[in-house]
Amino acid sequence: MIALDLASALRKQIAQSVRVDAVSDDRIEISTPYTYPDGDHYGFVAMRDGSNWQLSDEGDVLTKASYSGVDLLAKGHRERLSRTIEFYGLKESDGQLTYDIPEDGFGDGFFAFTQACLDINRLTKLAPERQKPKQRVVG
């Protein structure tokens, strides 16, 4: 198979594994081929607020983490979660992850948001960060 044929086959396979459904003028539901440990697919929505679009997990990622017994918002996990959220440019509010999509940036936003959700889910497999012991001042 030559590179052009392979590139075409890859495009087709990738496009078939992502489902995108326009639910309304202001809402698009997106399903990815990636799955949580329980077998559910990672899914999220693109929502329009005025002229701006935003991706949201609608609270799924942190909820799924809690099903595995890990509260990523709790002390010990919160710092890693915050660093990951900051690295990808996401926001977290009441357990919901969001990402503001720059104009003409849906593709990049899709990949960044998907990678962020996968990385955040991986945090459930890490032990909580240990708090550094406070140094005693002897005097």
Side-chain angles (χ1 to χ4, degrees):
M1 180 176 286
I2 63 171
L4 189 57
D5 293 335
L6 181 57
S8 178
L10 279 170
R11 265 190 232 102
K12 185 177 179 181
Q13 288 176 359
I14 290 169
Q16 287 176 347
S17 64
V18 175
R19 194 183 84 238
V20 179
D21 296 314
V23 177
S24 71
D25 289 343
D26 298 327
R27 185 179 173 90
I28 299 167
E29 293 181 351
I30 303 164
S31 177
T32 72
Y34 307 109
T35 57
Y36 290 101
D38 67 3
D40 287 348
H41 284 265
Y42 280 82
F44 45 91
V45 298
M47 304 176 295
R48 182 167 50 182
D49 181 20
S51 62
N52 300 317
W53 283 89
Q54 182 179 72
L55 294 171
S56 171
D57 77 329
E58 297 189 314
D60 282 352
V61 173
L62 297 181
T63 298
K64 291 286 188 177
S66 72
Y67 292 166
S68 67
V70 178
D71 180 0
L72 293 176
L73 295 172
K75 188 176 183 177
H77 291 286
R78 181 70 192 189
E79 187 175 328
R80 281 188 184 133
L81 175 65
S82 295
R83 284 194 313 256
T84 304
I85 286 171
E86 183 180 328
F87 177 79
Y88 286 102
L90 275 61
K91 296 175 190 163
E92 182 273 322
S93 177
D94 296 324
Q96 177 175 288
L97 302 173
T98 58
Y99 179 80
D100 295 328
I101 303 172
E103 194 171 319
D104 296 328
F106 273 91
D108 290 341
F110 166 80
F111 287 111
F113 195 75
T114 301
Q115 184 65 47
C117 290
L118 291 167
D119 283 355
I120 290 167
N121 186 54
R122 275 197 235 17
L123 295 177
T124 63
K125 295 169 180 43
L126 300 175
E129 289 186 330
R130 294 182 182 254
Q131 301 299 314
K132 293 179 183 176
K134 294 180 181 180
Q135 292 183 352
R136 291 181 23 186
V137 178
V138 180

